[in-house]
Amino acid sequence: MREERTPNRRAGGGGGGLARRRRALIAVVVGSLAFTGVGAAAATFIKSPAQAAADTRPPPPSVLTASVQEKVLAETVIARGQVAASQQVRVDGAGTGGKDVGRSVVTKVAVKDGQRLRMGQLLLEVSGRPVFVLKGDIPAYRDLGPGSTGDDVAQLQRALAGLGYAVGGDRSGTFGAGTQAAVARFYRAHGVAPVAEPPADPVADRAGG
């Protein structure tokens, strides 16, 4: 009985050794695969300085690449045309002396320093035309003549009336024949000739008729 059992134990022992060798071989294969995967992963995420510099180096110049520039974008538009004024204002620099006078110049002083002034007094002459003292709140900003209307005309009429030169039947604020006659008398009283009216324009008269 003992001699029959011994071969059986040997057979069983030989089968166990083969299984162990198979398991060892499988373990070696699995370990090799694991190390291979770890190496591939390390090669993917871990790079040398030279490789990192090569990966970040700009591509070589070509028709598809260009250098980046930082600047302000601007566009200039050139338009050509002609500029014309929609309204024109004529400025006459002849002054009070008429067209023969190039500029306004004080040509005569009729008062002295410290002299007391009175209503209607002649102060001076500018380019040959007189300047009088007349009471009023509105500055003399324009030349007045027949046809002029406004508060400054009414102020002139009141001043003339206060000096004894009535304006006749002219309405207040309207420079009519009565006001023109009063101004003429006032001028002559100071030895000054009134400003002559400009001659009528025959072209304008024909156009108006």
Side-chain angles (χ1 to χ4, degrees):
M1 295 296 291
R2 292 179 180 176
E3 294 177 357
E4 294 178 355
R5 290 178 181 177
T6 301
N8 292 337
R9 286 198 297 269
R10 290 178 179 177
L18 180 61
R20 286 194 297 273
R21 286 195 297 271
R22 289 179 179 177
R23 287 195 294 269
L25 180 60
I26 293 173
V28 172
V29 173
V30 172
S32 300
L33 293 176
F35 280 114
T36 302
V38 172
T44 302
F45 296 101
I46 301 175
K47 297 181 181 181
S48 65
Q51 183 63 36
D55 292 342
T56 57
R57 186 180 301 114
S62 67
V63 294
L64 299 179
T65 60
S67 302
V68 178
Q69 298 181 1
E70 182 180 358
K71 63 180 181 179
V72 178
L73 297 179
E75 183 177 356
T76 302
V77 178
I78 300 177
R80 302 184 184 278
Q82 183 176 2
V83 180
S86 61
Q87 182 180 3
Q88 296 182 354
V89 178
R90 181 179 178 182
V91 179
D92 188 1
T96 57
K99 64 180 181 180
D100 295 334
V101 179
R103 57 193 179 95
S104 297
V105 179
V106 176
T107 55
K108 180 180 179 181
V109 177
V111 295
K112 298 179 181 180
D113 293 341
Q115 181 179 348
R116 186 179 182 86
L117 303 179
R118 66 180 186 279
M119 183 70 168
Q121 182 179 358
L122 176 64
L123 291 178
L124 47 84
E125 291 183 1
V126 178
S127 300
R129 301 309 306 164
V131 177
F132 297 101
V133 178
L134 295 177
K135 183 179 179 180
D137 298 328
I138 303 175
Y141 65 93
R142 60 172 178 163
D143 293 334
L144 300 179
S148 300
T149 58
D151 294 337
D152 52 348
V153 176
Q155 176 176 271
L156 172 63
Q157 292 171 331
R158 290 192 297 270
L160 291 173
L163 294 172
Y165 301 96
V167 297
D170 289 354
R171 292 182 301 175
S172 177
T174 301
F175 198 118
T179 305
Q180 183 179 9
V183 171
R185 293 196 303 272
F186 174 71
Y187 270 52
R188 285 194 293 267
H190 289 81
V192 181
V195 178
E197 290 297 318
D201 187 353
V203 177
D205 292 342
R206 289 195 300 270

